[in-house]
Amino acid sequence: MARKISGRNAGTRRAASDEVRGKDVYRPSRDEILRYVAENPDRSGKRDIAKAFALKNEDRIWLKELLRDLQDEGLLEKSRKRLKRAGALAHVAVLDIFGRDAEGALLARASEQPEGPIVLIRQPRGGTGPTPGVGDRVLAKTFPIEDHLGDENEPAYTARIMKVFEKRSDTALGVFRILKDGTFRIEPVERRQPELVVDKDSQGGAKDGDLVEVMPERASRYGLPRAKVISVLGSLTNEKAVSMIAIHAHDIPHIFPAEVIAESEAVKPATLDGKREDWRELPLVTIDPRDAKDYDDAVHAEPDTDEKNVGGVVVTVAIADVAAYVRPGSALDREALRRGNSVYFPDRVVPMLPERISNDLCSLREAVDRPALAVRMTFSVEGRKIRHSFHRIMMRSSARLAYQQAQAAIDGMPDDKTGPILETILKPLWAAYEVLKRGRDSRQPLELDLPERKILLKPDGTVDSVIVPDRLDAHKLIEEFMIQANVSAAETLENKKQKLVYRIHDGPSLAKQESLREFLQTIGLSLARGAAMRPSQFNGILERVRGEDNEQLVNEVVLRSQSQAEYNPDNIGHFGLNLRRYAHFTSPIRRYADLIVHRALIGSLGLGAGGLTPAEEARLDEIAGLISQTERRAMAAERDTVDRLIAGFLAERVDETFDARISGVTKAGLFVQLPQYGADGFIPISSLGDEYYHFDEAARSLFGERTGKGYQLADRVEVRLVEIAPLAGAMRFEMLTEPKPLPGSKRSFHKAKGQRSRARASQPRRGPRARR
């Protein structure tokens, strides 16, 4: 069995070695380094490793070079500021329990690595703690097994359960269909679901085309399995039916328990007590989308009157005081954590908090007294933040404005509402934004140019049109004000030595950097080597291709090279924003992470009731893991709903041709997007031509072996819609555009050994796929 190496025994070994070899210094072997990293996931940074092996001075330089070699060889990966074995599980992971071993112990795999290593679940000591079973999804801390021999059929990790997620219902979702012979069937909305038969007395009042929830019954020996309709959710063509599919498929809680509703209705409005300052005379305004239903942030700005800060500004951001109403351990709080965040669909919102809280008591309505947590920030003329302070206040919004409305006033077209406040409120806001923009430009966050599409619906919930809203200075102003407020929150809590949940974003991994570097070489661009990448290096590349034919391509590839942001009590900074410390503070109505930060500020600054409790502090690892998982769940559900809506919108247009852009390249074929609609579909490699096609991962292309011609990521092409499955949100296309010469592909292809994949044109045709 491998021996765990600690700082103490490593130092003892070094001392013994020094005694034997005189001045020779003990240096750990590569295997010892790898073993230490595997066994100490919480202490695997370069400093931790150096301390564990008592390495100093030139030995640390040697260690840095060795770790870099191990990363280049793919044996180690950098995760935040720590190292981990390549392919290793995260220390806190979401696991799916799939079975038991011969002794009855539970076995699991990471939900994001269904083919990954097996995890052995430790039973709670003394029978305490959550007790999961087969089929459960859990949040757990994982620990590598020291003497694992590499057998993929044997557990490579053990895990200690932190939380058992709510079990999935035994029900299923489908569309009720009446066949020509008068029999009833359930058409599944997910490909893995079987088609079901419904008896007449189990119809439950469903009509043809209704979206229904069914309870599958015991399968008979012959024929299709049977089911009973337990609820009718409405016609598939009706408003909100499409998003209900995603809500069910992703287990998103959407009905508030009775005790939560009762608790929210019993809440009384906050008052101006001794801990709350009266800021009702300060002309704060809200600036939001036209269709916003809750307003949780308000802003104000004015020139700094301090003679020592000529040209500086004072910016105030006020955020709804959700912590005044949602107290730790309450039914409201437990449900908010279970949801983690609000989920936004084109046809509905699934809120984190009941309407009584989100749309009423915590909505900063115009001319209505509302409690808030405010931060007042002072900036120099260069956009550098000089100081800030937090206050628990009572405010009264002076005006509710839409982004377009505020921007029009600044652009010389004020209306009846913006005209009277143009000089006193709006122009000072824009002047402050110009100051903060100087600081942003100096900071150089990652500046990707990727338009976001918005689906506009008809009254019946079907798609009317897809638009790309203009990106206005009004949007950028609010965004930058909120970023600075978030930074201030993190800085204050750090200064107070208060634990919190950070919003972290790791830099691109070495593997992704190398993949991006290989791609850029195919279009004549270069990316400097080195693990310590900066956003400015990516911005330089993006600037070089601005206005060029491959601008969209490069933006897409740079985006895909980035890591995913998450919540974590351990801070590593935010790479994309180029900030050393960052925490979500500005949206506690719709994100639980922000509510945690509010409570931490209230408690550490002595701002009254509703602060972070010791029990919450002890669970921050668990809470961060939960809300990171619910955020990913929400993103997947939102994406699925958009796919289904667009697929339904195009269902009558099979055999039509469309202008498209290649949005993904794999060894199986091409993914294409219709820019006009934001819809994605698939083109199997079997339909591309009568020669062998090779997948060039570096160049993001498929090219013909004989001609060298092919297709590359971001190419504009013409396609024909061949097949569509609206319920699955999947479309299959046929390529109409002839392949183009790709002179660099063969060279890049043969250079990248092990990354080739050849497919014969005669291989079986594949069905439509929803997304890459």
Side-chain angles (χ1 to χ4, degrees), residues 168 173 188-194 245 248-249 644 727-728:
R168 289 197 60 152
L173 205 65
V189 297
E190 292 187 85
R191 295 195 171 197
R192 291 171 294 177
Q193 292 177 344
I245 297 174
H248 181 91
R644 288 189 174 101
L727 286 182

Side-chain angles (χ1 to χ4, degrees), residues 172-192:
L173 205 65
V175 177
F176 188 80
R177 299 295 188 194
I178 301 178
L179 304 187
K180 292 181 180 180
D181 60 3
T183 58
F184 306 137
R185 295 285 177 86
I186 300 299
E187 180 184 351
V189 297
E190 292 187 85
R191 295 195 171 197
R192 291 171 294 177

Side-chain angles (χ1 to χ4, degrees), residues 162-417:
M162 301 167 67
K163 180 179 178 63
V164 179
F165 293 115
E166 184 174 340
K167 290 185 179 181
R168 289 197 60 152
S169 169
D170 291 332
T171 61
L173 205 65
V175 177
F176 188 80
R177 299 295 188 194
I178 301 178
L179 304 187
K180 292 181 180 180
D181 60 3
T183 58
F184 306 137
R185 295 285 177 86
I186 300 299
E187 180 184 351
V189 297
E190 292 187 85
R191 295 195 171 197
R192 291 171 294 177
Q193 292 177 344
E195 192 174 12
L196 302 169
V197 174
V198 176
D199 295 329
K200 188 173 183 179
D201 57 357
S202 300
Q203 180 181 353
K207 300 176 183 178
D208 187 56
D210 279 349
L211 184 66
V212 296
E213 191 173 17
V214 299
M215 178 69 73
E217 298 177 343
R218 186 182 300 275
S220 61
R221 182 174 299 180
Y222 306 104
L224 294 173
R226 312 188 90 77
K228 178 180 180 180
V229 175
I230 59 175
S231 64
V232 178
L233 304 174
S235 172
L236 191 63
T237 60
N238 285 348
E239 182 182 6
K240 299 184 179 180
V242 175
S243 58
M244 182 57 72
I245 297 174
I247 288 170
H248 181 91
H250 293 277
D251 292 325
I252 294 175
H254 65 287
I255 298 175
F256 285 104
E259 63 173 337
V260 174
I261 295 296
E263 195 173 276
S264 68
E265 294 298 330
V267 169
K268 296 180 180 180
T271 59
L272 187 63
D273 57 22
K275 292 289 186 179
R276 199 175 294 280
E277 302 174 44
D278 189 349
W279 283 24
R280 288 176 291 182
E281 297 303 315
L282 185 70
L284 291 152
V285 297
T286 61
I287 305 178
D288 293 282
R290 290 188 190 278
D291 56 357
K293 293 179 179 164
D294 54 66
Y295 319 101
D296 57 0
D297 58 80
V299 294
H300 176 267
E302 60 187 0
D304 189 6
T305 57
D306 188 345
E307 295 179 355
K308 297 180 181 179
N309 189 30
V310 177
V313 294
V314 178
V315 171
T316 300
V317 173
I319 306 298
D321 189 357
V322 177
Y325 302 113
V326 182
R327 296 299 174 86
S330 65
L332 275 168
D333 181 53
R334 292 194 300 272
E335 182 66 14
L337 177 57
R338 187 167 78 102
R339 296 180 176 222
N341 45 257
S342 298
V343 187
Y344 293 84
F345 299 107
D347 57 355
R348 73 161 82 190
V349 175
V350 179
M352 185 180 79
L353 297 167
E355 285 193 11
R356 166 69 171 160
I357 304 295
S358 60
N359 291 2
D360 184 8
L361 295 178
C362 287
S363 186
L364 306 182
R365 296 178 176 177
E366 182 176 296
V368 178
D369 290 1
R370 285 289 182 259
L373 198 59
V375 57
R376 179 167 280 165
M377 302 170 286
T378 302
F379 295 87
S380 70
V381 68
E382 298 86 10
R384 178 178 56 85
K385 183 157 65 71
I386 299 173
R387 69 183 73 90
H388 69 265
S389 59
F390 280 89
H391 309 261
R392 207 171 192 184
I393 67 169
M394 185 67 74
M395 60 161 286
R396 183 183 296 159
S397 173
S398 295
R400 176 212 160 184
L401 305 175
Y403 286 116
Q404 295 83 354
Q405 184 182 19
Q407 188 67 57
I410 292 295
D411 292 342
M413 295 172 287
D415 58 20
D416 292 342
K417 177 173 280 189

Side-chain angles (χ1 to χ4, degrees), residues 737-752:
T737 300
E738 292 295 321
K740 68 177 184 180
L742 297 173
S745 289
K746 279 191 175 182
R747 182 170 59 254
S748 175
F749 166 77
H750 289 297
K751 181 180 177 181

Side-chain angles (χ1 to χ4, degrees), residues 16 34-35 77 166 208 227 242 285 309 340 400 440 488 527 558 572 627 653 695 735:
L34 293 172
R35 189 183 311 126
E77 295 176 350
E166 184 174 340
D208 187 56
V242 175
V285 297
N309 189 30
R400 176 212 160 184
R440 179 185 176 90
S488 298
L527 179 67
V558 169
I572 62 163
I627 59 181
R653 302 182 64 177
F695 172 46
M735 179 67 73

Side-chain angles (χ1 to χ4, degrees), residues 49-68:
I49 298 171
K51 184 177 180 180
F53 290 99
L55 300 178
K56 298 180 180 180
N57 303 326
E58 66 274 7
D59 294 335
R60 293 199 172 205
I61 298 174
W62 167 85
L63 176 65
K64 182 178 179 181
E65 293 174 351
L66 175 61
L67 294 176
R68 177 61 183 274

